[in-house]
Amino acid sequence: MPLAKPFVLGNWKMNGLRADGEALALRIIEQQRRGERGGTLGICPPATLLAPLAALLDGSGILLGGQDCAPAPAGAFTGDIGAPMLADIGCRLVIVGHSERRHGHGEDDRLVRAKAAAGHAAGLLVVLCVGETEPEREAGATIDVLDRQLAGSLPEDATAENLVVAYEPVWAIGTGRTPSVADIASAHAHMRARLGALVDGGSALRLLYGGSVKPANAGQIMAIPDVDGVLVGGASLDAGQFDAIYSAGQRAAA
Ligand code: PEP
């Protein structure tokens, strides 16, 4: 899928009842129409809002995504959502391997890889999250963790067109803390080189940074050469902040 830079993706997590979610989506759509800007905008609302939001987003150019998918396409998996169901409802992408799944639900690289492959089989762009925990960072193991997670969770059919990798340090998610610009730059440069070795044409893969991105730091982060966009959690629940982050990305890409 062609993704113009900056790619700004909102992860609403488990937030939003129908009226709030629709109102937020309508504000994002209105801001996008007013701005007529380049780049790519996407939102991943909770599964309960995918159908109503698919209808609202139709024709807006804003991508709709799921926050997770099952490794199997269908079957006796109570509570799970298959990637074909996401595609069927109008999703263009799916997040897999988010730290709240890896660490909160015990998902390992093998399962994340199976989910990514399921996303691809359904024709979805897969946003694969990787990132170290705070103890791993303190032990100086960030690069080792990234290498391990990339090697273990990249699906075999990954290409620069069907996969995006998001570097999300676990300790930066929802905490208001971010790595330094130099640390993000070196993690992304390392991932780009590693992906070039692991995937045919992999050095062209789009790389996102995620973890406490706000309007105040978004421009600085998206000005880093190997950062193609951002994955935004908390700030994506506020249409004004989400728009300010997108605008900062536009200026950084200009
Ligand atoms: C996320 O959940 O992917 C995320 C980056 O969250 P936050 O922006 O709130 O840190």
Side-chain angles (χ1 to χ4, degrees):
M1 182 192 303
L3 286 177
K5 186 174 168 174
F7 178 25
V8 175
L9 183 61
N11 173 14
W12 292 8
K13 311 191 187 197
M14 196 175 74
N15 291 296
L17 301 181
R18 186 165 175 159
D20 307 330
E22 288 184 354
L24 177 56
L26 285 170
R27 284 196 59 201
I28 293 169
I29 293 166
E30 190 196 309
Q31 288 168 169
Q32 171 76 344
R33 289 213 174 110
R34 242 192 355 242
E36 281 185 24
R37 298 161 296 186
T40 310
L41 201 58
I43 55 174
C44 297
T48 48
L49 293 179
L50 288 172
L53 265 53
L56 292 180
L57 293 179
D58 192 29
S60 69
I62 299 170
L63 303 178
L64 182 67
Q67 297 175 10
D68 184 40
C69 68
F77 302 101
T78 302
D80 285 353
I81 298 174
M85 295 167 171
L86 295 176
D88 181 53
I89 210 86
C91 289
R92 305 281 302 282
L93 61 93
V94 64
I95 297 172
V96 300
H98 192 280
S99 74
E100 287 150 18
R101 305 295 319 176
R102 286 182 186 268
H103 300 285
H105 291 259
E107 296 192 359
D108 61 11
D109 285 331
R110 200 184 161 92
L111 178 57
V112 174
R113 171 190 262 160
K115 290 183 169 198
H120 285 159
L124 297 172
L125 174 75
V126 170
V127 179
L128 169 68
C129 301
V130 293
E132 81 285 1
T133 62
E134 184 141 46
E136 288 166 339
R137 171 187 165 81
E138 281 165 1
T142 298
I143 295 298
D144 291 345
V145 171
L146 296 181
D147 284 352
R148 193 187 67 229
Q149 291 183 339
L150 287 176
S153 52
L154 268 181
E156 273 173 21
D157 62 354
T159 68
E161 281 69 49
N162 67 14
L163 192 93
V164 170
V165 175
Y167 170 50
E168 296 213 307
V170 180
W171 55 273
I173 296 177
T175 60
R177 296 162 58 210
T178 54
S180 66
V181 164
D183 283 351
I184 298 173
S186 80
H188 276 240
H190 178 82
M191 289 198 306
R192 192 167 299 291
R194 195 78 203 104
L195 287 163
L198 289 169
V199 176
D200 207 17
S203 55
L205 263 144
R206 272 68 49 93
L207 303 181
L208 309 184
Y209 166 79
S212 295
V213 175
K214 307 284 177 215
N217 59 21
Q220 203 184 27
I221 291 171
M222 283 188 271
I224 299 170
D226 285 310
V227 175
D228 300 310
V230 286
L231 180 51
V232 187
S236 73
L237 294 170
D238 179 311
Q241 288 196 32
F242 194 50
D243 191 54
I245 289 169
Y246 193 41
S247 298
Q250 315 278 328
R251 289 193 295 274

